[in-house]
Amino acid sequence: AWKGMHPMQFDASSDHFCASVPLPRGTSQVEFQIIFEGDWARRFCPESKELHSAPVGPVDIHGLNWTVATPQGCRLLCVLWDPKGMRRLAVDYPT
């Protein structure tokens, strides 16, 4: 898993924010939260540990993370975040 923060960039073509995160070799699972402007007291996380749980935040909650399995050999994870309206989070594994 990665350590530290990876800034999200706004992608006007998709109207989402995106962070591309290099993954160490052998990574099979990743956990993360979205931290607003570097402030740990304002983070977005899943509502619960249930699969496909709705995003909540900004909140000051520790321990509720999105958890995604990464395909074997995957070296890059792209996190797509739409903070508007219902808020949506998606991940992609570019080849």
Side-chain angles (χ1 to χ4, degrees):
W2 79 77
K3 300 221 184 286
M5 293 191 190
H6 294 268
M8 299 192 101
Q9 304 297 322
F10 184 71
D11 179 5
S13 65
S14 68
D15 200 31
H16 289 79
F17 288 88
C18 178
S20 296
V21 182
L23 298 175
R25 189 174 305 280
T27 301
S28 61
Q29 180 175 293
V30 174
E31 292 187 30
F32 63 94
Q33 294 180 334
I34 295 175
I35 311 302
F36 185 73
E37 295 183 344
D39 183 352
W40 285 93
R42 297 187 311 166
R43 51 185 138 181
F44 294 89
C45 61
E47 185 175 51
S48 71
K49 292 190 180 261
E50 292 181 26
L51 187 62
H52 306 297
S53 181
V56 296
V59 293
D60 188 7
I61 294 178
H62 178 72
L64 282 178
N65 303 320
W66 280 287
T67 303
V68 296
T70 57
Q72 185 175 6
C74 180
R75 299 299 308 266
L76 186 66
L77 171 72
C78 290
V79 178
L80 305 168
W81 171 241
D82 180 1
K84 300 179 307 301
M86 295 285 295
R87 297 187 181 128
R88 292 183 332 125
L89 178 113
V91 294
D92 188 24
Y93 309 99
T95 55

